[in-house]
Amino acid sequence: MKTPTITNENTTVDVTEEVMSFSLKVGAVLSALVGIWGVTCLLSGLINAGPLGMLKGYISAVTGL
């Protein structure tokens, strides 16, 4: 027959560590979403304007011509 064993242990939880861990995970997910959005916009621009059009637009944006 199996009898349950009851233990009385205190478990300490560091709230600061838990909050920082959660914040780091949220930041990583948001960074990934921003990166995916940027790649999507870049691909959309390549499809609409083509590689040469994108290059021309980049050069004119940098030089102001």
Side-chain angles (χ1 to χ4, degrees):
M1 180 172 161
K2 296 182 179 180
T3 59
T5 304
I6 298 174
T7 59
N8 292 328
E9 292 182 15
N10 289 335
T11 305
T12 59
V13 177
D14 188 11
V15 176
T16 306
E17 184 178 336
E18 295 294 327
V19 169
M20 291 301 290
S21 175
F22 178 74
S23 298
L24 181 65
K25 290 175 185 175
V26 168
V29 169
L30 290 176
S31 296
L33 288 174
V34 168
I36 291 170
W37 185 259
V39 169
T40 304
C41 290
L42 181 63
L43 290 175
S44 173
L46 282 173
I47 290 171
N48 286 334
L52 293 177
M54 289 282 289
L55 183 62
K56 180 183 175 196
Y58 177 74
I59 291 172
S60 65
V62 170
T63 62
L65 298 175

